[in-house]
Amino acid sequence: MTMLSLLFALPLAAQAPAPKAPAPAAPVAEPTVGVAMDGTYQWVVGQFVGAAEAMPEDKFDWAPSQGEFKGVKTFAQQVKHVSAVNFFLGSVLLGEKPPAEVGNPEMGPDSLKTKAEILKYMKDSFAYARKAIQSITAQTGSRAVKNPFGQGPDMTPIGMATLLSFHGMDHYGQMVEYLRMNGIVPPASRPRPKS
């Protein structure tokens, strides 16, 4: 009887649907030009923010005075300048009015006085610049944009994103000097804990 049950079950098993093969994985989308450029810019943000946070509040208005440093920006002015330019160029990339005061972009807004106010402004400016950089596409990245500084050749959105990166790192280098002249090792230069 068991053999007879098996003989009847075989045709039914043969008619059962075969298990479905897994669907092929969707192709991974290439990142946009802006997202790719933002990958580099994030590194700039990390270095710059770490340096700005490392300077004590009582040294935020410090500038070197020995040697060939007459008339240089204070540490706070370095941070405010880069932040104002972030807002300014970000607004050009996005085609809108800056969402925060830029004052004289060379020095940043005079209204910002405390370290906490300046750090918030700085962090907001980097978030805005990242949003602007991420908006760049292959179609828009090489279009001509009137030079926002009023002189020189036209720029492109890719060029402005590149400018945002190297401008931040230019001033980061100056801020590192200010930190070291005050006996502070910049966070990026501190030894990393062994894991």
Side-chain angles (χ1 to χ4, degrees), residues 4-57:
L4 190 57
S5 298
L6 282 173
L7 288 174
F8 285 121
L10 281 174
L12 292 175
Q15 293 177 7
K20 290 185 178 180
V28 177
E30 290 288 321
T32 65
V33 171
V35 169
M37 293 189 82
D38 182 53
T40 300
Y41 192 63
Q42 287 180 57
W43 184 80
V44 175
V45 175
Q47 302 292 304
F48 195 95
V49 169
E53 290 176 336
M55 185 64 92
E57 176 135 23

Side-chain angles (χ1 to χ4, degrees), residues 17-135:
K20 290 185 178 180
V28 177
E30 290 288 321
T32 65
V33 171
V35 169
M37 293 189 82
D38 182 53
T40 300
Y41 192 63
Q42 287 180 57
W43 184 80
V44 175
V45 175
Q47 302 292 304
F48 195 95
V49 169
E53 290 176 336
M55 185 64 92
E57 176 135 23
D58 65 330
K59 298 285 187 181
F60 232 62
D61 286 322
W62 184 87
S65 57
Q66 301 290 325
E68 297 296 321
F69 289 101
K70 185 177 181 183
V72 298
K73 290 177 174 68
T74 66
F75 189 88
Q77 287 169 334
Q78 298 275 359
V79 176
K80 291 193 307 182
H81 164 65
V82 168
S83 302
V85 171
N86 288 348
F87 277 123
F88 175 64
L89 288 179
S91 72
V92 172
L93 285 169
L94 292 169
E96 61 189 31
K97 184 179 179 212
E101 176 191 0
V102 295
N104 168 4
E106 191 56 38
M107 294 296 185
D110 290 333
S111 61
L112 302 174
K113 304 289 185 198
T114 68
K115 178 179 177 178
E117 290 171 338
I118 294 167
L119 290 181
K120 180 180 183 329
Y121 181 74
M122 172 198 66
K123 289 175 182 177
D124 290 349
S125 82
F126 278 118
Y128 185 69
R130 288 191 61 210
K131 174 185 168 187
I133 290 170
Q134 290 170 8
S135 75

Side-chain angles (χ1 to χ4, degrees), residues 141-160:
S142 59
R143 70 179 162 81
V145 177
K146 184 171 173 49
N147 190 314
F149 300 107
Q151 58 186 356
D154 286 349
M155 298 181 78
T156 64
I158 290 173
M160 282 192 270

